[in-house]
Amino acid sequence: MNRLESNPKVPYVVGSKSPTAVAINCAAKAGEWIKSRLGDYRDLNTKQSPQDLVTDVDKGAEAMIRKLILTHFPDHEILGEEGVAPGAAASAAALKQGSESEYLWIVDPVDGTTNFVHGFPFFCVSIALAYKGDVIIGVIYDPIRDEMFVAEKGKGAYIHGQKSKVSNDATLSGSVIAVGFNPDRDFALPVNMRGLNALSGQVRSLRAAGSAALHLAYVAAGRLSGYYEVGLNAWDVAAGALIVKESGGIVTDTAGNPYHIGVRHLVASNGKIHDELLGVIRAADATGL
């Protein structure tokens, strides 16, 4: 069993046989291998657009994670980015099929592949576990900074065993907000640009570092106060959404409805600025809905 200590100074302890421990082990092993291949990928291809990249490292890391998970939980279903055809329709169909399983692991082996390819040190492994469609475990590992973000539903979120907490920023004007440049150039990118332009005059500063999962982890850790992007997939955000919520934040779709694993247009925040953030996106006609 997992154990959450009442003393916030005592590290969070995970039982060695729990699904959380398996997720942490998978993320750590895959992350270290990915880091060892930085600058040494061999196959580079595109998927949805010339900006949507995939390498042999993405595929190899997902295969490694799948093997490790199925060793412990052979009856569980796995939804991995590299096993799904590009595009929103294929993503939705794969998620629907996977959700028929009681336990569904949702895996992005390298979130931030473009960064990885170009040697920009902002990418991660993202692993979530959903039970009957509800995410109950989220793990994000940044191998460059050796940071492990972990959350279990109802038990809080932690960075290397220390409790994670969202920022205290109370206004959008005092907040740093992350946005994304989505590889879907036909629909998502134009919508995101409307939102980005509207937010640029309302916030302290914007960041677009190229990894949805790490953006969410940084909201959870209080390094960012919010994140907005249209056109995401379940594997981009499932783990990060739980980590934000368990750190005291709020995650919704761009209309303000509660997050679920089918949400593609996302707003996450520390909670204090959420309504203000949603209002700017709505006024700019940048919800994507």
Side-chain angles (χ1 to χ4, degrees):
M1 295 293 290
N2 299 331
R3 179 164 58 89
L4 173 60
E5 300 287 356
S6 59
N7 184 344
K9 295 183 180 180
V10 176
Y12 178 59
V13 179
V14 176
S16 61
K17 296 182 180 180
S18 72
T20 305
V22 171
I24 291 170
N25 184 49
C26 287
K29 287 183 179 296
E32 286 305 306
W33 181 72
I34 292 163
K35 182 179 178 180
S36 75
R37 294 291 306 277
L38 187 60
D40 187 35
Y41 63 86
R42 297 187 178 93
D43 297 318
L44 175 62
N45 294 289
T46 60
K47 296 189 288 186
Q48 185 176 4
S49 71
Q51 293 77 28
D52 192 7
L53 305 180
V54 61
T55 72
D56 60 305
V57 176
D58 298 75
K59 295 175 181 178
E62 183 168 312
M64 180 187 300
I65 293 167
R66 283 179 176 272
K67 182 177 181 180
L68 288 168
I69 290 173
L70 293 175
T71 296
H72 295 277
F73 304 106
D75 297 329
H76 289 191
E77 188 72 23
I78 300 174
L79 174 65
E81 178 180 10
E82 305 315 325
V84 180
S91 175
L95 179 60
K96 181 179 180 181
Q97 180 180 354
S99 296
E100 295 174 358
S101 176
E102 186 174 35
Y103 287 95
L104 176 66
W105 293 82
I106 304 170
V107 176
D108 193 339
V110 185
D111 189 64
T113 298
T114 299
N115 289 343
F116 173 79
V117 167
H118 288 271
F120 186 80
F122 195 82
F123 50 85
C124 66
V125 181
S126 177
I127 300 174
L129 175 62
Y131 173 69
K132 295 183 176 179
D134 188 23
V135 178
I136 58 172
I137 293 169
V139 172
I140 293 171
Y141 180 56
D142 174 356
I144 298 298
R145 291 176 58 88
D146 188 29
E147 287 190 321
M148 184 76 71
F149 304 84
V150 180
E152 289 184 293
K153 186 177 181 181
K155 296 184 178 182
Y158 297 81
I159 307 172
H160 282 308
Q162 301 302 317
K163 193 165 177 59
S164 174
K165 186 178 180 181
V166 295
S167 77
N168 289 317
D169 293 333
T171 64
L172 203 54
S173 62
S175 299
V176 177
I177 305 297
V179 294
F181 295 103
N182 199 277
D184 176 0
R185 282 356 198 196
D186 296 325
F187 167 71
L189 182 63
V191 176
N192 284 320
M193 290 303 296
R194 289 199 295 272
L196 185 155
N197 287 332
L199 286 167
S200 65
Q202 302 291 326
V203 303
R204 174 164 288 165
S205 192
L206 292 174
R207 297 289 182 268
S211 168
L214 275 181
H215 283 154
L216 288 166
Y218 277 30
V219 172
R223 300 169 188 173
L224 297 166
S225 290
Y227 167 54
Y228 151 74
E229 188 169 349
V230 165
L232 297 165
N233 294 296
W235 47 79
D236 298 315
V237 297
L242 180 65
I243 295 169
V244 170
K245 289 189 284 185
E246 290 295 326
S247 298
I250 294 177
V251 184
T252 68
D253 69 10
T254 48
N257 300 306
Y259 170 80
H260 58 81
I261 58 175
V263 166
R264 295 182 54 80
H265 312 323
L266 191 88
V267 175
S269 80
N270 63 0
K272 295 179 175 65
I273 64 165
H274 204 82
D275 289 343
E276 192 179 1
L277 182 53
L278 286 171
V280 173
I281 293 166
R282 190 180 302 116
D285 189 26
T287 65
L289 299 171

